[in-house]
Amino acid sequence: MTNGYRLFFSLLLLCMAALPASAEVYKTVDDQGNVTYTDNPPSDGKTVEPVDLPAINTQPGLQPPASARKKPAENSGYADVSILAPAQDATIPPGQLNVVVQIFLEPALKAGHRVQLLHNGQAYGEPAYATSFSIDSLIRGEHTLKAQVVDENGAVIAQSGSVTIHVKRTSIQNNPGKKSNK
């Protein structure tokens, strides 16, 4: 098949796909007063009233929230330090007992450097030569996570932006099936 035929059939398919978008809408009322809207006018001679629909209501696209990417200091040797997972404003459901935090580093972690995970501004565990961490026993509420690259002396070389997560947990106050000991 030559390019001319492909172009012709592509345009034909495109036009056919757009046809339903420009279809008429009709309103009919039966003997019992029931109103029906359809794109096919009835053929039985009933009174048909074309409906003029307003223009399509469009909403401008939402701007994504500020990223958890923070440009490290130029002399840090890291072009990017960011938290890949969990995403900003992620909700952790009640059945999920731990959260895996994945860190992205560009370039990869250098010799002598470690990653320190911060949970609510406090160090979570010891700095590690790893880019994946697991946090468990999270209580209900809002939590902030941040990653820092530290050298062998513990000095912060680079850090990510903060990521906020929301942990959902069941509460005895919201569980009518259980009684509290008051």
Side-chain angles (χ1 to χ4, degrees):
M1 189 179 280
T2 65
N3 286 340
Y5 284 116
R6 286 185 185 165
L7 179 63
F8 173 75
F9 284 117
S10 298
L11 290 174
L12 181 65
L13 286 174
L14 183 63
C15 290
M16 288 175 57
L19 253 170
S22 64
E24 292 284 329
V25 176
Y26 302 97
K27 174 182 173 184
T28 60
V29 181
D30 66 10
D31 297 334
Q32 288 81 28
N34 297 320
V35 177
T36 304
Y37 293 94
T38 180
D39 59 350
N40 296 320
S43 59
D44 58 1
K46 288 186 179 177
T47 305
V48 174
E49 179 181 327
V51 178
D52 292 325
L53 297 176
I56 296 174
N57 184 10
T58 59
Q59 175 77 18
L62 297 174
Q63 295 300 320
S67 174
R69 294 178 184 256
K70 182 176 178 181
K71 292 293 180 188
E74 290 184 22
N75 59 358
S76 72
Y78 291 95
D80 191 11
V81 178
S82 57
I83 297 177
L84 294 178
Q88 174 68 20
D89 285 325
T91 299
I92 310 305
Q96 186 174 338
L97 301 178
N98 65 357
V99 175
V100 176
V101 180
Q102 295 178 340
I103 315 296
F104 174 77
L105 298 171
E106 179 67 38
L109 199 57
K110 298 177 181 178
H113 294 176
R114 301 285 184 261
V115 175
Q116 175 66 64
L117 182 63
L118 300 179
H119 173 236
N120 292 334
Q122 302 296 316
Y124 187 83
E126 296 294 319
Y129 190 77
T131 57
S132 183
F133 298 86
S134 181
I135 301 176
D136 56 1
S137 303
L138 289 173
I139 60 171
R140 177 179 51 190
E142 184 177 282
H143 299 266
T144 58
L145 304 173
K146 186 182 273 191
Q148 295 179 332
V149 178
V150 297
D151 64 13
E152 55 272 348
N153 300 322
V156 176
I157 298 169
Q159 64 183 355
S160 71
S162 294
V163 169
T164 302
I165 61 172
H166 309 278
V167 177
K168 303 273 186 180
R169 294 288 183 253
T170 55
S171 168
I172 194 146
Q173 294 174 342
N174 297 328
N175 190 350
K178 293 188 178 184
K179 295 184 180 181
S180 62
N181 297 330
K182 290 186 179 182

